[in-house]
Amino acid sequence: MSLEIQQHEREGIPILDLKGRITVGQEAGTLREKVAELAAAGSHNIVMNMEHVDYIDSTGLGAMVMCATSQRKAGGNVKLVHVNRRNIELLVMTKLETVFDLFSDEQDAVNSFFPDRAIKTFDILSFVQQMKKEE
């Protein structure tokens, strides 16, 4: 399954609605190209809606990190919203949850780009504790 990317905007922040897989090949390249296109247009703050991403491989993780790194170098950031359990586990296992800010609500992710706004981040510690209880 290829990666489909739909884009909408909320308060001037591009939201990328990702659907499919972020894997080696065209999918990872498509993601990097889309973020580079937004950066070239002056958008350095991006929210990636991961709700419909069912699989990420190591190349996909690398592409996501590259996107975040390039945006940070330009003074921006990449935030993730609606990350499913499997992908949260992957981020925790690879320690990449420290690279990305995770949110369970799109508006909170957008608000995180505005320093004067209150935000509610995803509580990764509570998530990990809940996973251990379920084991």
Side-chain angles (χ1 to χ4, degrees):
M1 172 188 256
S2 64
L3 179 66
E4 296 175 26
I5 303 175
Q6 298 293 320
Q7 179 183 334
H8 68 280
E9 208 170 276
R10 194 172 209 175
E11 298 183 55
I13 305 294
I15 315 282
L16 300 181
D17 296 310
L18 309 177
K19 183 178 182 181
R21 310 177 100 178
I22 306 174
T23 57
V24 66
Q26 181 182 355
E27 293 80 10
T30 299
L31 180 61
R32 285 192 311 269
E33 288 169 11
K34 183 63 177 177
V35 171
E37 175 185 306
L38 288 169
S43 295
H44 299 294
N45 291 321
I46 297 171
V47 173
M48 290 185 187
N49 180 353
M50 308 288 287
E51 184 174 12
H52 299 290
V53 174
D54 52 18
Y55 182 75
I56 306 170
D57 70 5
S58 59
T59 302
L61 282 174
M64 290 173 61
V65 170
M66 286 173 61
C67 291
T69 302
S70 65
Q71 294 301 84
R72 286 186 185 128
K73 285 180 181 176
N77 209 338
V78 173
K79 312 286 176 116
L80 305 181
V81 66
H82 300 303
V83 182
N84 67 30
R85 179 188 173 125
R86 177 184 192 162
N87 292 331
I88 290 172
E89 290 173 353
L90 178 64
L91 291 171
V92 169
M93 189 171 38
T94 58
K95 304 212 184 308
L96 290 175
E97 86 282 1
T98 61
V99 172
F100 297 100
D101 291 331
L102 305 176
F103 297 89
S104 54
D105 180 77
E106 185 177 288
Q107 186 62 53
D108 284 330
V110 169
N111 286 346
S112 71
F113 292 112
F114 300 93
D116 59 328
R117 296 186 187 179
I119 58 168
K120 182 181 177 194
T121 59
F122 182 83
D123 188 351
I124 196 78
L125 180 59
S126 293
F127 175 80
V128 170
Q129 290 170 340
Q130 183 64 33
M131 283 181 8
K132 287 185 179 183
K133 286 179 186 175
E134 292 176 6
E135 290 178 348

